[in-house]
Amino acid sequence: MNYPNIVGTPYDYSKKKYWMDLPKHPAKPKKQVDCIWLSPTSSMANAYIGPVDPVMKFMAKDYYKEMGVVFNKHCNMYAPYYHQLSTRKFNDLTDDEIYAIEANEPRTDVYAALDYYFEHYNNGRPYVLAGHSQGSCLIAYVLMEYMEFHPELRDRMVAAYCVGYGIPKEVLAEYPSIKPAQGPDDTGVLISWNTEGPENIGQHNFVIRPNAYVINPLNWKTDDTPAMPDKKNKALADAQIDLERCSVITRLADPDKDSILAEGLGKVGPLGKLPPVREFFEKMIVPGFGTHSFHGRDYTFYAHSVSKNLKHRIDNYLKK
């Protein structure tokens, strides 16, 4: 299908080298529900838009090990590589400029990957959209534009995890087909949050948007009811929505171990010391997120809760 304002030529997604992860038999996987995963920023190219190169692949796989586990227990995983806005250029751009650049080659690739997936792999199964950071920015494009060209696909979407990137409520109001989740049970919905410490309030953070939709990944409420780690949710941090900042605030996480700044300095977090290339990578992006951002831990802190709730939403969808 021809989409408006397409920039560049997409990768050929019939070739498995452009997929980070696929089921052994992509058209006949074992599970009832698929997940399309869009990686966070993994490029360190010197140009604004980076190709799929060895460094991007390494970084994307490293993030996938940490974040993809939320979904792969319950879903067949389909994870395409795609052109990305480079980490080296983020700090030179405004938030609006970042979003506009994503509409170029990254969007072109993602739409092509989805076209191939739905035509050759999906075979009518329910699916989940999931991503983080830059990947979630592109999920926003998918929900707002791609689905407008493919309205028949909306009914098969269990949920869209647009985590690590805020979408303002006034933007969502322009797209009544996008329904933000309001609790733990609904399906066909958008799910989104960004995590930071209270000391980060007032600092610039690329992914915190004014008046953005946000849901608490522990109690699945959209108000400011606090939620604490316990034996059931097995969380690594607490969670409370700051309704003015429109982010999830944690007061228990240790900024010396788990913040973007700590990750950039290679400190030991819940998953151990970062590999040198990722240490260098995340050190570059500190100015854009603030010193007490937990952007890299949006999934990690709440992985058990998110995975358990995903299973609940899938069960609800299948019952329907």
Side-chain angles (χ1 to χ4, degrees), residues 3 10 27 36 70 96 117 120 131 141 154 170 180 212 222 238 256 273 277 280 285 295:
Y3 303 102
I36 301 99
V70 170
D96 289 340
Y117 161 77
H120 297 279
Y141 272 113
R154 292 187 186 277
E170 57 268 25
T222 57
D238 59 323
D256 292 331
K273 197 175 189 304
V277 65
F280 173 71
I285 65 176
H295 182 64

Side-chain angles (χ1 to χ4, degrees), residues 158-193:
V158 177
Y161 289 79
C162 194
V163 175
Y165 183 81
I167 305 178
K169 293 176 182 176
E170 57 268 25
V171 173
L172 292 174
E174 298 177 16
Y175 299 88
S177 58
I178 302 175
K179 300 176 181 179
Q182 299 301 313
D185 306 315
D186 38 11
T187 60
V189 291
L190 168 71
I191 295 169
S192 182
W193 71 87

Side-chain angles (χ1 to χ4, degrees), residues 15 49 63 71 83 113 126 128 138 161 221 253 267 271 306 310:
K15 298 179 179 179
I49 298 294
Y63 282 120
F71 303 96
H83 281 89
V128 172
L138 287 158
Y161 289 79
K221 296 181 178 181
K267 297 291 181 66
L271 300 180
V306 178
L310 169 63

Side-chain angles (χ1 to χ4, degrees), residues 294-305:
F294 296 107
H295 182 64
R297 305 301 193 200
D298 284 326
Y299 281 113
T300 314
F301 281 160
Y302 314 113
H304 180 79
S305 174

Side-chain angles (χ1 to χ4, degrees), residues 112-175:
L114 288 174
D115 281 351
Y116 192 86
Y117 161 77
F118 282 114
E119 183 176 352
H120 297 279
Y121 292 156
N122 178 256
N123 289 325
R125 289 184 302 278
Y127 65 91
V128 172
L129 294 173
H132 186 255
S133 197
Q134 183 167 174
S136 290
C137 177
L138 287 158
I139 286 177
Y141 272 113
V142 172
L143 294 174
M144 295 174 188
E145 183 180 66
Y146 184 87
M147 291 298 178
E148 293 295 309
F149 286 90
H150 303 279
E152 74 282 0
L153 298 177
R154 292 187 186 277
D155 289 342
R156 299 213 307 273
M157 189 183 80
V158 177
Y161 289 79
C162 194
V163 175
Y165 183 81
I167 305 178
K169 293 176 182 176
E170 57 268 25
V171 173
L172 292 174
E174 298 177 16
Y175 299 88

